[in-house]
Amino acid sequence: QVQLVESGGGLVQAGGSLRLSCAASGDIFSIVSMAWYRQVPGLQRELVAAINNINTTNYADSVKGRFTISRDNAKNTVDLQMNSLKPEDTAVYYCLANTNYAGWVRDYWGQGTQVTVSS
């Protein structure tokens, strides 16, 4: 089992910045990759950024050059630095941990944190 707790959401004006943090606990040795997703009501949850155990990153086209994902293995956290925010970035942001324990693959989700960007 892995538990994820997100923090750092809030309200910001367009052009501003926010930093989201996700703290992992439990069977952290089983984590293969972590990611941030976001969801707007009525729409599917979409991948924002992901990072694996060798720090390979992947970003949605809509956030490339503005968002940066990073991991701190000592603190068991994954952060999402969001710069040049746009109103269309408004969503609930979720942290995901993809785990593999003896071949048993499972995803764990955090509870989500609201990000609102005003125009």
Side-chain angles (χ1 to χ4, degrees):
Q1 295 265 346
V2 172
Q3 294 79 42
L4 302 171
V5 177
E6 300 111 331
S7 61
L11 173 64
V12 64
Q13 287 189 332
S17 298
L18 280 176
R19 188 176 184 89
L20 305 182
S21 186
C22 174
S25 61
D27 296 333
I28 56 175
F29 62 88
S30 66
I31 295 175
V32 175
S33 64
M34 298 188 74
W36 285 95
Y37 280 71
R38 65 187 181 188
Q39 187 170 25
V40 175
L43 299 180
Q44 284 192 332
R45 198 169 291 189
E46 63 173 2
L47 174 68
V48 177
I51 186 168
N52 64 16
N53 283 350
I54 57 172
N55 288 332
T56 301
T57 57
N58 181 40
Y59 294 93
D61 287 343
S62 59
V63 306
K64 283 181 181 176
R66 300 189 298 122
F67 291 12
T68 303
I69 189 170
S70 60
R71 285 178 75 164
D72 186 330
N73 291 327
K75 296 180 180 179
N76 299 319
T77 58
V78 60
D79 291 351
L80 184 69
Q81 178 65 43
M82 305 185 294
N83 299 328
S84 302
L85 282 161
K86 304 175 181 179
E88 51 264 43
D89 294 318
T90 296
V92 178
Y93 284 70
Y94 295 91
C95 179
L96 166 75
N98 174 257
T99 66
N100 187 329
Y101 181 73
W104 183 261
V105 177
R106 182 174 176 178
D107 289 339
Y108 292 89
W109 292 93
Q111 81 284 357
T113 185
Q114 177 71 46
V115 171
T116 302
V117 184
S118 62
S119 57

